[in-house]
Amino acid sequence: MAILRRGGLVAFPTETVYGLGADASNPDAVARIYQVKGRPAGHPVIVHIGDIGQLARWARDVPEAATKLATHFWPGPLTLVLRRAPNVDSQLSGGQDTIGLRVPGHPVALQLLREFGGGIAAPSANRFGRISPTTAEHVRSDLASEVELILDGGACEIGIESTIVDLSRGRPVLLRPGRIAAGDIAAQLGVAPLARDSAAPRAPGELAAHYAPRQPLRLIASDRWERSVQGSSRGRGVLSFRSAPEGDMSAMWIEGPREPWRYGHDLYANLRALDSSGCDRILVEGPPDTLEWAAIRDRLTRAGSV
Ligand code: TXA
Ligand code: MG
């Protein structure tokens, strides 16, 4: 707590990924987040709050849809983009007139927020453009020297970042898919969120190359897998739904879970393991083209577009 109050950085677990937290009301502390992540200014960060009652401190003209979604899904893996309240540091929203808010569903995060009392600005605790951390060890290996404290809450339950819904422009827009799916939003609002479009606010999660490992990653459709991944090569790292063929020499071969929630839970840890396996390229078998794999396909597609 003292660290946050004096403008320091605290990495903490959430149910999605680890966050790199700073006092959202302290512009110098928020500036340090950008510096440590190597994140360009102009990319907004999410302000984490302890309960729905704090919405009014950060957002104005909160629509009924936001109250509905927050009441139903918070604490949980949903970020709402709302119109920014006056007096809120515009640095938090990269200069836009909106603000991203979320009550995370992890007990350690909630305790931190409740003891701190204010909002905690926190992007994922990785360097800009790299894979989000889902364990305290991942944060340590990325940012240890620059963070005052890393709270260890074990492996993140969900493993991919929160769903982001923009409610600042009338019709809800799904800016980033996540565990909470478009259909879950529609069920609460009675109207389906629009897909993001060119008028949507900028978000690094929307950049093509994001969440990327160091080694080039190729996403290969399942029905082309046999043809594309023939023979054996020491140079490749593989994440597939199949097991490694007899005598395979790949630097590493990971058989991914067939259940999307488990696959998401392991995804970033698996990509990190492949990345440091000594391979020179990563081959990933594309997941099924169904709605329940949408958020994972989104992350894999971005990881691949380098
Ligand atoms: O699950 C998560 O959301 C994690 C945990 C730590 O809460 N946080 C996270 O933060 O993924 P970050 O900064 O890596 O990604 C936040 C995304 C970015 O794509 C950012 O542009 C978008 O949220 N975002 C935040 N505020 C926004 C705003 N006002 N308008 C549009 N997008 C916003
Ligand atoms: Mg991130």
Side-chain angles (χ1 to χ4, degrees), residues 257-277:
R258 292 178 169 277
E259 204 274 311
W261 311 140
R262 286 191 45 219
Y263 192 100
H265 175 275
D266 297 350
L267 176 61
Y268 290 150
N270 283 341
L271 291 182
R272 278 171 185 262
L274 289 167
D275 215 11
S276 49
S277 68

Side-chain angles (χ1 to χ4, degrees), residues 274-289:
L274 289 167
D275 215 11
S276 49
S277 68
C279 69
D280 55 27
R281 61 192 189 285
I282 298 174
L283 307 180
V284 179
E285 181 175 354
D289 196 11

Side-chain angles (χ1 to χ4, degrees), residues 37 39 123-124 126 130 132 161 176 210-211:
K37 271 192 71 104
R39 186 179 206 169
S124 50
N126 52 287
R130 306 244 70 104
S132 293
E161 303 82 354
R176 181 172 72 183
H210 205 65
Y211 316 106

Side-chain angles (χ1 to χ4, degrees), residues 69-86:
L69 293 181
T71 307
H72 190 79
F73 292 111
W74 284 354
L78 176 70
T79 296
L80 299 177
V81 171
L82 301 168
R83 300 181 67 182
R84 178 158 54 87

